[in-house]
Amino acid sequence: MNDDLDSDFEFGLAELSPADDASEEALEVFRAGVLNVLAQHHTAANGSRTFVLAYDESMTWGVPGADQLVTIAVARDPSRSTFTAETKHHATVAFAQNWLIERGCPPEHIKLAAGFGLKPDDDLTVQVEQQIRASGTRYRVLDTWTSDTGPYETWTLTRDSNAVQAPVRVFHEEWDWDAGTYTMREGAFADRGAAQSWLDDRDGALPEPPEYSHADGAVVRARMARTALARSAETAATRQATSDAHRPPPAGPLQRPGQGRLL
């Protein structure tokens, strides 16, 4: 475990015992990782509850396609001298944040710190990620994949309990290292077999969810298109104004292809 984990995480654990075997195993799994902490939150000064989102470097050396993000939720009970702990690996930040939010972490306290990772390329990416974070138990994860050696991408295969049509959803994330950005898109399929065929063959574009074509969806996408156009104009003007300036290196632990995912 890296030493960038806040010391409050360990506060009091030496005097506490795991409440069950699952808690002991969860903590050991978390401690065994080679971690870069991306976000963490403690609910009280003594760290009575702790939520952590981290990038686990050790996963890049293991089974191909393994999830590289890990979360942990710890609850301490000094009155019983025990603690409980849960941990889980995830393919994308948004699903990791969703897992922590579902376990009681305030959404505003588990955002990535400035300077970490690549940036969303467009407003649709921001919208899809927010949809995931706020989805509660809507999406049941069926499978995941992370590729950090080209193509640089992750995907999360899910079943959407809210979907009336095409309930199997694929959340596909692609990274553009040269631009320092990434995109997240949602695809919809009638069943898992159809989704897996697309993932295996990439025959055609990712099918959009049916609800994207509804009136409300059209309004939302039009608004995002206008925002993106304004952002592009602003970016172009900024690049022109600074074309002769020296470009500083990116802040935070941004890794190049072959060294891990989007961090």
Side-chain angles (χ1 to χ4, degrees):
M1 179 179 295
N2 287 14
D3 57 9
D4 59 353
L5 184 63
D6 194 301
S7 60
D8 283 345
F9 173 76
E10 296 286 0
F11 183 89
L13 288 189
E15 290 76 35
L16 302 178
S17 300
D20 48 40
D21 292 341
S23 295
E24 183 174 15
E25 181 180 352
L27 197 60
E28 289 306 314
V29 168
F30 193 77
R31 284 171 168 163
V34 181
L35 306 181
N36 291 303
V37 174
L38 309 179
Q40 58 186 311
H41 174 64
H42 311 287
T43 61
N46 66 353
S48 60
R49 298 192 70 192
T50 292
F51 305 93
V52 180
L53 167 57
Y55 164 59
D56 186 351
E57 291 184 29
S58 68
M59 302 307 291
T60 67
W61 313 320
V63 179
D67 297 339
Q68 297 177 7
L69 297 171
V70 60
T71 51
I72 189 169
V74 174
R76 300 166 182 81
D77 187 350
S79 66
R80 298 184 179 182
S81 298
T82 62
F83 69 86
T84 58
E86 293 182 85
T87 190
K88 185 175 176 59
H89 280 83
H90 312 266
T92 68
V93 169
F95 274 101
Q97 291 168 325
N98 168 267
W99 188 90
L100 291 168
I101 292 167
E102 278 300 288
R103 280 150 184 80
C105 183
E108 66 273 15
H109 291 305
I110 206 63
K111 296 179 180 179
L112 300 191
F116 276 117
L118 306 179
K119 304 301 181 186
D121 182 63
D122 54 26
D123 292 301
L124 182 55
T125 295
V126 173
Q127 179 180 335
V128 172
E129 288 190 305
Q130 178 56 29
Q131 175 180 308
I132 294 168
R133 278 191 292 269
S135 64
T137 59
R138 171 179 173 178
Y139 300 110
R140 179 164 65 91
V141 175
L142 306 175
D143 200 4
T144 60
W145 182 266
T146 297
S147 174
D148 57 13
T149 57
Y152 306 111
E153 65 174 17
T154 74
W155 52 257
T156 302
L157 178 63
T158 73
R159 183 171 294 276
D160 182 356
S161 62
N162 286 5
V164 176
Q165 304 177 55
V168 174
R169 301 298 169 95
V170 170
F171 292 92
H172 182 233
E173 181 183 76
E174 288 186 287
W175 320 327
D176 184 337
W177 292 102
D178 293 333
T181 61
Y182 69 94
T183 59
M184 174 75 84
R185 295 293 185 264
E186 178 184 5
F189 299 86
D191 54 47
R192 183 170 181 174
Q196 193 63 59
S197 294
W198 185 89
L199 289 168
D200 292 341
D201 302 332
R202 306 300 172 93
D203 185 15
L206 184 65
E208 288 189 343
E211 57 267 26
Y212 279 29
S213 62
H214 294 169
D216 289 344
V219 170
V220 169
R221 293 206 293 165
R223 183 170 63 247
M224 291 191 299
R226 290 194 297 270
T227 303
L229 183 62
R231 179 181 295 172
S232 296
E234 180 181 355
T235 300
T238 301
R239 287 177 177 173
Q240 180 65 34
T242 59
S243 59
D244 297 327
H246 173 69
R247 183 180 182 180
L254 180 63
Q255 294 180 303
R256 300 303 302 168
Q259 293 180 287
R261 49 166 291 125
L262 71 161
L263 306 172

